[in-house]
Coordinates of all heavy atoms in Angstrom, one line a residue:
M4 N 38.6 71.2 35.6 CA 37.3 71.3 35.1 C 36.4 70.2 35.8 O 36.7 69.1 35.9 CB 37.3 70.9 33.6 CG 36.0 71.1 32.9 SD 36.3 71.0 31.1 CE 35.0 70.0 30.6
A5 N 35.2 70.7 36.2 CA 34.3 69.8 36.9 C 33.6 68.8 35.9 O 33.5 69.1 34.7 CB 33.1 70.7 37.5
P6 N 33.3 67.6 36.4 CA 32.7 66.6 35.5 C 31.3 67.2 35.0 O 30.6 67.9 35.7 CB 32.4 65.4 36.5 CG 33.2 65.7 37.7 CD 33.5 67.1 37.8
R7 N 31.0 66.8 33.8 CA 29.8 67.2 33.2 C 28.6 66.5 33.9 O 28.7 65.4 34.2 CB 29.8 66.8 31.7 CG 28.6 67.2 31.0 CD 28.8 67.0 29.5 NE 27.5 67.2 28.8 CZ 27.4 67.1 27.5 NH1 28.4 66.8 26.8 NH2 26.2 67.3 26.9
E8 N 27.5 67.2 34.0 CA 26.3 66.6 34.6 C 25.5 66.2 33.4 O 24.9 67.0 32.7 CB 25.5 67.7 35.4 CG 26.3 68.0 36.7 CD 25.5 68.8 37.7 OE1 24.2 68.8 37.6 OE2 26.1 69.5 38.5
W9 N 25.4 64.9 33.2 CA 24.8 64.3 32.1 C 23.3 64.0 32.4 O 22.9 63.6 33.5 CB 25.4 62.9 31.7 CG 26.8 63.1 31.2 CD1 28.0 63.0 31.8 CD2 27.1 63.2 29.8 NE1 29.0 63.2 31.0 CE2 28.5 63.3 29.7 CE3 26.4 63.3 28.6 CZ2 29.2 63.4 28.5 CZ3 27.1 63.5 27.4 CH2 28.5 63.5 27.4
T10 N 22.5 64.0 31.4 CA 21.1 63.5 31.4 C 21.1 62.2 30.6 O 22.0 62.0 29.7 CB 20.1 64.4 30.9 OG1 20.3 64.6 29.5 CG2 20.1 65.8 31.6
V11 N 20.2 61.3 30.7 CA 20.1 60.1 29.9 C 20.0 60.6 28.4 O 20.6 60.0 27.5 CB 18.9 59.2 30.3 CG1 18.7 58.1 29.3 CG2 19.1 58.7 31.7
D12 N 19.2 61.6 28.1 CA 19.1 62.1 26.7 C 20.4 62.5 26.2 O 20.8 62.2 25.0 CB 18.0 63.2 26.6 CG 17.8 63.6 25.2 OD1 17.4 62.8 24.4 OD2 18.1 64.8 24.9
Q13 N 21.2 63.3 27.0 CA 22.5 63.7 26.5 C 23.5 62.5 26.2 O 24.2 62.5 25.3 CB 23.1 64.7 27.5 CG 22.4 66.0 27.6 CD 22.9 66.9 28.7 OE1 23.3 66.3 29.8 NE2 22.8 68.2 28.6
L14 N 23.4 61.5 27.1 CA 24.2 60.3 26.9 C 23.8 59.7 25.6 O 24.6 59.2 24.8 CB 24.1 59.4 28.1 CG 24.7 59.8 29.4 CD1 24.3 58.8 30.5 CD2 26.2 59.8 29.2
H15 N 22.5 59.5 25.4 CA 22.0 58.9 24.2 C 22.5 59.6 22.9 O 23.0 59.0 22.0 CB 20.5 58.9 24.3 CG 19.8 58.2 23.2 ND1 19.4 58.7 22.0 CD2 19.4 56.8 23.1 CE1 18.8 57.8 21.3 NE2 18.8 56.7 21.9
V16 N 22.5 60.9 22.9 CA 22.9 61.7 21.8 C 24.4 61.6 21.6 O 24.9 61.6 20.5 CB 22.5 63.2 21.9 CG1 23.1 64.1 20.9 CG2 21.0 63.3 21.8
A17 N 25.2 61.5 22.7 CA 26.6 61.5 22.6 C 27.2 60.1 22.1 O 28.3 60.1 21.6 CB 27.2 61.7 24.0
L18 N 26.4 59.1 22.1 CA 26.9 57.8 21.7 C 26.8 57.7 20.2 O 25.8 58.0 19.6 CB 26.1 56.7 22.3 CG 26.2 56.6 23.9 CD1 25.2 55.6 24.4 CD2 27.7 56.2 24.3
P19 N 27.9 57.3 19.5 CA 28.0 57.4 18.1 C 27.3 56.2 17.3 O 27.1 56.4 16.1 CB 29.5 57.3 17.8 CG 30.1 56.5 18.9 CD 29.2 56.9 20.1
H20 N 26.9 55.2 18.0 CA 26.4 54.0 17.3 C 25.0 53.7 17.8 O 24.8 53.7 19.0 CB 27.3 52.8 17.4 CG 28.7 53.0 16.8 ND1 28.9 53.2 15.4 CD2 29.9 53.2 17.4 CE1 30.2 53.4 15.2 NE2 30.8 53.5 16.4
S21 N 24.1 53.3 16.9 CA 22.8 52.9 17.3 C 22.7 51.7 18.3 O 21.9 51.7 19.2 CB 21.9 52.6 16.1 OG 22.4 51.5 15.4
S22 N 23.7 50.8 18.2 CA 23.7 49.7 19.1 C 24.1 50.1 20.5 O 23.5 49.6 21.5 CB 24.7 48.6 18.6 OG 26.0 49.1 18.6
L23 N 24.9 51.1 20.6 CA 25.3 51.6 21.9 C 24.1 52.4 22.5 O 23.8 52.3 23.7 CB 26.5 52.5 21.9 CG 27.8 51.8 21.5 CD1 28.9 52.9 21.3 CD2 28.2 50.8 22.5
R24 N 23.4 53.1 21.7 CA 22.3 53.9 22.2 C 21.2 52.9 22.7 O 20.6 53.1 23.7 CB 21.7 54.8 21.1 CG 22.7 56.0 20.8 CD 22.1 57.0 19.9 NE 21.9 56.5 18.5 CZ 22.8 56.7 17.6 NH1 24.0 57.2 17.8 NH2 22.6 56.2 16.4
Q25 N 21.0 51.8 22.0 CA 20.0 50.8 22.4 C 20.4 50.2 23.7 O 19.6 49.9 24.5 CB 19.8 49.8 21.3 CG 19.0 50.3 20.1 CD 17.6 50.7 20.4 OE1 17.1 50.4 21.5 NE2 16.9 51.3 19.5
Q26 N 21.7 49.9 23.8 CA 22.2 49.3 25.1 C 22.0 50.2 26.2 O 21.6 49.8 27.3 CB 23.7 48.9 24.9 CG 24.2 48.1 26.1 CD 23.5 46.8 26.4 OE1 23.3 46.0 25.4 NE2 23.1 46.5 27.6
L27 N 22.3 51.5 26.0 CA 22.0 52.5 27.1 C 20.6 52.4 27.5 O 20.3 52.4 28.7 CB 22.4 53.9 26.6 CG 21.9 55.0 27.5 CD1 22.6 55.0 28.9 CD2 22.1 56.4 26.8
L28 N 19.7 52.5 26.6 CA 18.2 52.5 26.9 C 17.8 51.2 27.6 O 17.0 51.2 28.6 CB 17.4 52.7 25.7 CG 17.6 54.1 25.0 CD1 16.7 54.2 23.8 CD2 17.3 55.2 26.0
A29 N 18.4 50.1 27.2 CA 18.1 48.8 27.8 C 18.6 48.8 29.3 O 17.9 48.4 30.2 CB 18.7 47.7 27.1
D30 N 19.8 49.4 29.5 CA 20.4 49.5 30.8 C 19.5 50.3 31.7 O 19.2 50.0 32.9 CB 21.8 50.1 30.8 CG 22.8 49.0 30.4 OD1 22.5 47.8 30.3 OD2 24.0 49.4 30.3
V31 N 19.0 51.5 31.2 CA 18.2 52.4 32.0 C 16.9 51.7 32.4 O 16.4 51.8 33.5 CB 17.9 53.7 31.2 CG1 16.8 54.5 31.9 CG2 19.2 54.5 31.1
N32 N 16.3 50.9 31.5 CA 15.1 50.3 31.7 C 15.1 49.0 32.5 O 14.2 48.6 33.2 CB 14.3 50.0 30.4 CG 13.8 51.3 29.8 OD1 13.1 52.0 30.4 ND2 14.2 51.6 28.6
L33 N 16.3 48.3 32.5 CA 16.3 47.0 33.1 C 17.2 46.9 34.3 O 17.2 45.9 35.0 CB 16.8 46.0 32.0 CG 16.0 45.8 30.8 CD1 16.6 44.9 29.8 CD2 14.6 45.3 31.2
T34 N 18.0 47.9 34.6 CA 18.9 47.9 35.8 C 18.1 48.2 37.0 O 17.3 49.2 37.0 CB 20.0 48.9 35.6 OG1 20.8 48.6 34.4 CG2 20.9 49.0 36.8
P35 N 18.3 47.5 38.1 CA 17.6 47.8 39.4 C 17.9 49.2 39.8 O 19.1 49.7 39.6 CB 18.1 46.8 40.3 CG 18.5 45.6 39.5 CD 19.1 46.2 38.2
L36 N 17.0 49.9 40.4 CA 17.2 51.3 40.8 C 18.4 51.5 41.6 O 19.2 52.5 41.4 CB 16.0 51.8 41.6 CG 14.7 52.1 40.7 CD1 13.6 52.5 41.6 CD2 15.0 53.1 39.7
E37 N 18.7 50.6 42.6 CA 19.9 50.9 43.4 C 21.2 50.7 42.7 O 22.2 51.3 43.1 CB 19.9 49.9 44.6 CG 19.9 48.4 44.3 CD 18.5 47.8 44.0 OE1 17.5 48.5 44.1 OE2 18.5 46.6 43.8
E38 N 21.2 50.0 41.5 CA 22.4 49.9 40.7 C 22.5 50.9 39.6 O 23.5 51.1 38.9 CB 22.4 48.5 40.1 CG 22.5 47.4 41.1 CD 22.4 46.0 40.5 OE1 22.6 45.9 39.2 OE2 22.0 45.1 41.2
L39 N 21.4 51.7 39.3 CA 21.4 52.6 38.2 C 22.4 53.7 38.3 O 23.0 54.0 37.3 CB 19.9 53.1 38.1 CG 19.6 53.9 36.8 CD1 19.9 53.0 35.6 CD2 18.2 54.3 36.8
P40 N 22.6 54.4 39.4 CA 23.7 55.4 39.4 C 25.0 54.9 39.0 O 25.7 55.6 38.2 CB 23.7 55.9 40.9 CG 22.3 55.6 41.4 CD 21.9 54.3 40.7
A41 N 25.5 53.8 39.4 CA 26.8 53.3 39.0 C 26.8 52.9 37.6 O 27.8 53.2 36.9 CB 27.1 52.1 39.9
R42 N 25.7 52.3 37.1 CA 25.6 52.0 35.6 C 25.7 53.3 34.8 O 26.4 53.3 33.8 CB 24.4 51.2 35.4 CG 24.2 50.7 34.0 CD 25.2 49.7 33.5 NE 25.4 48.6 34.3 CZ 24.9 47.4 34.1 NH1 24.1 47.2 33.0 NH2 25.1 46.4 35.0
L43 N 24.9 54.3 35.2 CA 24.9 55.5 34.4 C 26.3 56.2 34.5 O 26.7 56.9 33.5 CB 23.8 56.4 34.9 CG 22.4 56.0 34.5 CD1 21.3 56.9 35.1 CD2 22.3 55.9 33.0
E44 N 27.0 56.1 35.6 CA 28.3 56.7 35.7 C 29.2 56.0 34.7 O 30.1 56.7 34.1 CB 28.9 56.5 37.1 CG 30.2 57.2 37.4 CD 30.2 58.7 37.2 OE1 29.1 59.3 37.5 OE2 31.1 59.2 36.6
G45 N 29.1 54.7 34.5 CA 29.9 54.0 33.5 C 29.6 54.6 32.1 O 30.5 54.8 31.3
W46 N 28.3 54.8 31.8 CA 28.0 55.4 30.5 C 28.5 56.8 30.3 O 29.0 57.2 29.3 CB 26.5 55.4 30.3 CG 25.9 54.0 29.9 CD1 25.3 53.1 30.7 CD2 26.1 53.4 28.6 NE1 25.0 52.0 30.0 CE2 25.4 52.1 28.7 CE3 26.6 53.8 27.4 CZ2 25.4 51.3 27.6 CZ3 26.6 52.9 26.4 CH2 25.9 51.7 26.5
A47 N 28.5 57.6 31.4 CA 29.0 59.0 31.4 C 30.5 58.9 31.1 O 31.0 59.7 30.3 CB 28.7 59.7 32.7
T48 N 31.2 58.0 31.7 CA 32.6 57.9 31.5 C 32.9 57.6 30.0 O 33.8 58.1 29.4 CB 33.3 56.9 32.4 OG1 33.0 57.3 33.8 CG2 34.7 56.7 32.2
A49 N 32.2 56.6 29.5 CA 32.3 56.2 28.1 C 32.0 57.4 27.2 O 32.8 57.6 26.2 CB 31.4 55.1 27.8
A50 N 31.0 58.2 27.4 CA 30.6 59.3 26.6 C 31.7 60.4 26.7 O 32.1 61.0 25.6 CB 29.3 59.9 27.0
E51 N 32.3 60.6 27.9 CA 33.3 61.6 28.0 C 34.6 61.1 27.3 O 35.3 62.0 26.6 CB 33.6 61.9 29.5 CG 32.5 62.6 30.1 CD 32.5 62.6 31.7 OE1 33.4 62.0 32.2 OE2 31.6 63.3 32.2
T52 N 34.9 59.9 27.3 CA 36.1 59.3 26.6 C 35.9 59.5 25.1 O 36.8 59.9 24.4 CB 36.3 57.8 27.0 OG1 36.5 57.7 28.4 CG2 37.4 57.2 26.2
L53 N 34.7 59.2 24.6 CA 34.4 59.4 23.2 C 34.5 60.8 22.8 O 35.0 61.2 21.7 CB 33.1 58.8 22.8 CG 33.0 57.2 22.8 CD1 31.5 56.8 22.8 CD2 33.8 56.6 21.7
D54 N 33.9 61.7 23.6 CA 34.0 63.1 23.3 C 35.4 63.7 23.3 O 35.7 64.4 22.4 CB 33.1 63.9 24.4 CG 32.8 65.3 23.9 OD1 32.4 65.5 22.8 OD2 33.0 66.2 24.7
A55 N 36.2 63.2 24.2 CA 37.6 63.6 24.2 C 38.4 63.1 23.0 O 39.3 63.8 22.5 CB 38.3 63.1 25.5
A56 N 38.0 62.0 22.5 CA 38.7 61.4 21.3 C 38.2 62.0 20.0 O 38.8 61.8 18.9 CB 38.5 59.9 21.3
R57 N 37.1 62.8 20.0 CA 36.5 63.3 18.8 C 37.4 64.1 17.9 O 37.5 63.8 16.7 CB 35.3 64.2 19.2 CG 34.4 64.6 17.9 CD 33.2 65.3 18.3 NE 32.4 64.7 19.4 CZ 31.6 63.7 19.3 NH1 31.3 63.2 18.1 NH2 30.9 63.2 20.4
P58 N 38.3 65.0 18.4 CA 39.2 65.7 17.5 C 40.2 64.7 16.8 O 40.4 64.9 15.6 CB 40.0 66.6 18.4 CG 39.1 66.8 19.6 CD 38.4 65.5 19.8
R59 N 40.7 63.7 17.5 CA 41.5 62.7 16.9 C 40.8 61.9 15.8 O 41.3 61.6 14.7 CB 42.1 61.8 17.9 CG 43.2 60.9 17.4 CD 43.9 60.2 18.5 NE 44.9 59.2 18.0 CZ 45.0 58.0 18.3 NH1 44.2 57.5 19.2 NH2 45.9 57.2 17.7
I60 N 39.6 61.5 16.1 CA 38.8 60.8 15.2 C 38.5 61.6 13.9 O 38.6 61.1 12.8 CB 37.4 60.4 15.8 CG1 37.7 59.3 17.0 CG2 36.4 59.8 14.8 CD1 36.5 59.1 17.9
E61 N 38.1 62.9 14.1 CA 37.9 63.7 12.9 C 39.1 64.0 12.1 O 39.1 64.0 10.9 CB 37.3 65.1 13.4 CG 35.9 64.9 14.0 CD 34.9 64.3 13.1 OE1 34.9 64.5 11.8 OE2 34.0 63.5 13.5
A62 N 40.3 64.1 12.8 CA 41.5 64.3 12.0 C 41.9 63.0 11.2 O 42.3 63.1 10.1 CB 42.7 64.6 13.0
A63 N 41.7 61.9 11.8 CA 41.9 60.6 11.1 C 40.9 60.5 9.9 O 41.3 60.1 8.8 CB 41.8 59.4 12.0
R64 N 39.7 60.9 10.1 CA 38.7 60.8 9.1 C 39.1 61.7 7.9 O 39.0 61.3 6.7 CB 37.3 61.2 9.6 CG 36.2 61.0 8.7 CD 34.8 61.3 9.3 NE 34.5 60.2 10.2 CZ 33.8 60.3 11.3 NH1 33.2 61.5 11.6 NH2 33.5 59.3 12.0
A65 N 39.5 62.9 8.2 CA 40.0 63.9 7.2 C 41.2 63.3 6.4 O 41.3 63.5 5.2 CB 40.3 65.2 7.8
Y66 N 42.1 62.7 7.2 CA 43.3 62.1 6.5 C 42.9 61.0 5.5 O 43.4 61.0 4.4 CB 44.3 61.6 7.6 CG 45.6 61.1 7.1 CD1 46.7 61.9 7.0 CD2 45.7 59.8 6.5 CE1 47.9 61.5 6.5 CE2 46.9 59.4 6.0 CZ 48.0 60.2 6.0 OH 49.2 59.8 5.5
V67 N 42.0 60.1 6.0 CA 41.6 59.1 5.1 C 40.9 59.6 3.8 O 41.1 59.2 2.7 CB 40.7 58.1 5.8 CG1 40.0 57.1 4.9 CG2 41.4 57.3 6.9
K68 N 40.1 60.6 4.0 CA 39.4 61.3 2.9 C 40.4 61.8 1.9 O 40.2 61.7 0.7 CB 38.4 62.3 3.4 CG 37.6 62.9 2.3 CD 36.6 63.9 2.9 CE 35.7 64.5 1.8 NZ 34.7 65.4 2.3
E69 N 41.4 62.5 2.4 CA 42.4 63.1 1.5 C 43.4 62.1 0.9 O 43.8 62.2 -0.2 CB 43.2 64.1 2.3 CG 44.3 64.9 1.5 CD 45.0 66.0 2.3 OE1 44.5 66.4 3.4 OE2 46.1 66.4 1.8
H70 N 43.9 61.1 1.7 CA 44.9 60.2 1.3 C 44.4 58.8 0.9 O 45.2 58.0 0.3 CB 46.0 60.1 2.4 CG 46.6 61.4 2.7 ND1 47.6 62.0 1.9 CD2 46.4 62.2 3.7 CE1 48.0 63.1 2.5 NE2 47.3 63.3 3.6
G71 N 43.2 58.4 1.2 CA 42.7 57.1 0.9 C 43.2 56.0 1.7 O 43.0 54.8 1.4
T72 N 43.9 56.3 2.8 CA 44.5 55.3 3.7 C 44.5 55.9 5.1 O 44.4 57.1 5.3 CB 45.9 54.9 3.3 OG1 46.3 53.8 4.1 CG2 46.9 56.0 3.3
E73 N 44.7 55.0 6.1 CA 44.8 55.5 7.5 C 46.1 56.2 7.7 O 47.1 56.0 7.0 CB 44.7 54.3 8.4 CG 43.4 53.5 8.4 CD 43.5 52.3 9.3 OE1 44.6 51.9 9.8 OE2 42.4 51.8 9.6
P74 N 46.1 57.1 8.7 CA 47.3 57.8 9.0 C 48.4 56.8 9.4 O 48.1 55.8 10.0 CB 46.9 58.7 10.2 CG 45.4 58.9 10.1 CD 44.9 57.6 9.5
P75 N 49.6 57.2 9.2 CA 50.7 56.2 9.5 C 50.7 55.7 11.0 O 51.0 54.5 11.2 CB 52.0 57.0 9.3 CG 51.6 58.1 8.3 CD 50.1 58.4 8.6
E76 N 50.3 56.5 11.9 CA 50.3 56.1 13.3 C 49.3 55.0 13.6 O 49.4 54.3 14.6 CB 50.2 57.3 14.3 CG 48.8 58.0 14.2 CD 48.8 59.2 13.2 OE1 49.7 59.3 12.3 OE2 48.0 60.0 13.4
Y77 N 48.3 54.9 12.7 CA 47.3 53.9 12.9 C 47.7 52.5 12.4 O 47.1 51.5 12.7 CB 46.0 54.3 12.2 CG 45.2 55.3 13.0 CD1 45.6 56.7 12.8 CD2 44.2 55.0 13.8 CE1 44.9 57.6 13.5 CE2 43.5 56.0 14.5 CZ 43.9 57.3 14.4 OH 43.2 58.3 15.0
E78 N 48.7 52.5 11.5 CA 49.2 51.2 10.9 C 49.8 50.3 12.0 O 49.7 49.1 11.8 CB 50.1 51.5 9.8 CG 49.5 52.2 8.6 CD 50.4 52.6 7.5 OE1 51.6 52.2 7.6 OE2 50.0 53.3 6.6
T79 N 50.4 50.8 13.0 CA 51.0 50.0 14.0 C 50.2 50.0 15.4 O 50.6 49.2 16.3 CB 52.5 50.5 14.3 OG1 52.4 51.8 14.8 CG2 53.3 50.4 13.1
A80 N 49.2 50.8 15.4 CA 48.4 50.8 16.7 C 47.5 49.6 16.8 O 47.0 49.1 15.8 CB 47.5 52.1 16.7
P81 N 47.4 49.0 18.0 CA 46.6 47.8 18.2 C 45.1 48.2 18.0 O 44.7 49.3 18.2 CB 46.9 47.4 19.6 CG 47.4 48.6 20.3 CD 48.1 49.4 19.2
D82 N 44.3 47.2 17.6 CA 42.9 47.4 17.4 C 42.3 47.4 18.8 O 42.3 46.4 19.5 CB 42.3 46.3 16.5 CG 40.8 46.5 16.3 OD1 40.2 47.4 16.8 OD2 40.3 45.7 15.5
M83 N 41.7 48.6 19.2 CA 41.1 48.7 20.5 C 39.6 48.7 20.4 O 38.9 49.1 21.4 CB 41.6 50.0 21.1 CG 43.1 50.1 21.3 SD 43.7 48.9 22.5 CE 43.1 49.5 24.0
T84 N 39.0 48.4 19.3 CA 37.6 48.5 19.1 C 36.8 47.7 20.2 O 35.9 48.3 20.7 CB 37.2 47.9 17.7 OG1 37.9 48.6 16.7 CG2 35.7 48.0 17.4
D85 N 37.2 46.5 20.4 CA 36.4 45.7 21.4 C 36.5 46.3 22.8 O 35.5 46.3 23.5 CB 37.0 44.3 21.5 CG 36.6 43.5 20.2 OD1 35.7 43.8 19.5 OD2 37.3 42.5 20.0
T86 N 37.7 46.9 23.2 CA 37.8 47.5 24.5 C 36.9 48.7 24.6 O 36.2 48.9 25.6 CB 39.3 47.9 24.7 OG1 40.1 46.7 24.6 CG2 39.5 48.6 26.0
V87 N 36.9 49.5 23.5 CA 36.1 50.8 23.6 C 34.6 50.4 23.6 O 33.8 51.0 24.4 CB 36.4 51.7 22.3 CG1 35.4 52.8 22.2 CG2 37.8 52.2 22.4
V88 N 34.2 49.4 22.8 CA 32.8 49.1 22.8 C 32.4 48.4 24.1 O 31.3 48.8 24.7 CB 32.5 48.1 21.6 CG1 31.1 47.5 21.8 CG2 32.6 48.8 20.3
D89 N 33.2 47.6 24.7 CA 32.9 47.0 26.0 C 32.8 48.1 27.1 O 31.8 48.1 27.9 CB 34.0 46.0 26.4 CG 33.9 44.7 25.7 OD1 32.9 44.4 25.0 OD2 34.9 43.9 25.8
D90 N 33.7 49.0 27.1 CA 33.6 50.1 28.1 C 32.4 50.9 27.9 O 31.7 51.3 28.8 CB 34.8 51.0 27.9 CG 36.1 50.4 28.5 OD1 36.0 49.4 29.2 OD2 37.2 51.0 28.2
A91 N 32.0 51.2 26.6 CA 30.9 52.1 26.4 C 29.6 51.3 26.7 O 28.6 51.9 27.1 CB 30.8 52.4 24.9
Q92 N 29.6 50.0 26.6 CA 28.4 49.3 27.0 C 28.3 49.0 28.5 O 27.3 48.4 28.9 CB 28.4 47.9 26.2 CG 28.1 48.1 24.7 CD 28.2 46.8 24.0 OE1 28.8 45.9 24.4 NE2 27.5 46.8 22.8
G93 N 29.2 49.6 29.2 CA 29.1 49.4 30.7 C 29.5 48.1 31.2 O 29.1 47.7 32.3
R94 N 30.2 47.3 30.4 CA 30.5 46.0 30.9 C 31.8 46.0 31.8 O 32.1 45.0 32.4 CB 30.8 45.0 29.7 CG 29.6 44.8 28.9 CD 29.8 43.8 27.8 NE 28.6 43.6 27.0 CZ 28.5 43.3 25.8 NH1 29.6 43.1 25.1 NH2 27.4 43.1 25.2
R95 N 32.4 47.1 31.8 CA 33.6 47.3 32.7 C 33.5 48.6 33.4 O 32.6 49.4 33.2 CB 34.9 47.4 31.8 CG 35.2 46.1 31.1 CD 36.6 46.3 30.5 NE 36.5 46.0 29.1 CZ 37.4 45.3 28.5 NH1 38.4 44.8 29.1 NH2 37.3 45.2 27.2
G96 N 34.4 48.8 34.3 CA 34.4 50.1 35.1 C 33.4 50.1 36.2 O 33.3 49.2 37.0
A97 N 32.6 51.2 36.2 CA 31.7 51.5 37.3 C 30.5 50.5 37.4 O 29.8 50.6 38.4 CB 31.2 52.9 37.2
A98 N 30.3 49.8 36.4 CA 29.2 48.8 36.4 C 29.4 47.8 37.5 O 28.6 47.4 38.2 CB 29.0 48.1 35.1

């Protein structure tokens, strides 16, 4: 499958948190033009990662709603929140 051709607006909509959307807009407005393609590529990668995880996220959400607790596989999984947020903010990877 070919990589998706993103627009800044599509990236903005794909990001699940307002703080990430604000960071994207700040990056677009404050990044020097010659660095912008690489920075946007980092955001596209983050959006694609989040989009690919969406079914798992929705399944976990449904499990919590039904059982009142996280699925068993989440109890031993390490907390990756900081890693995901850092990647999504373009602090790693193609930036």
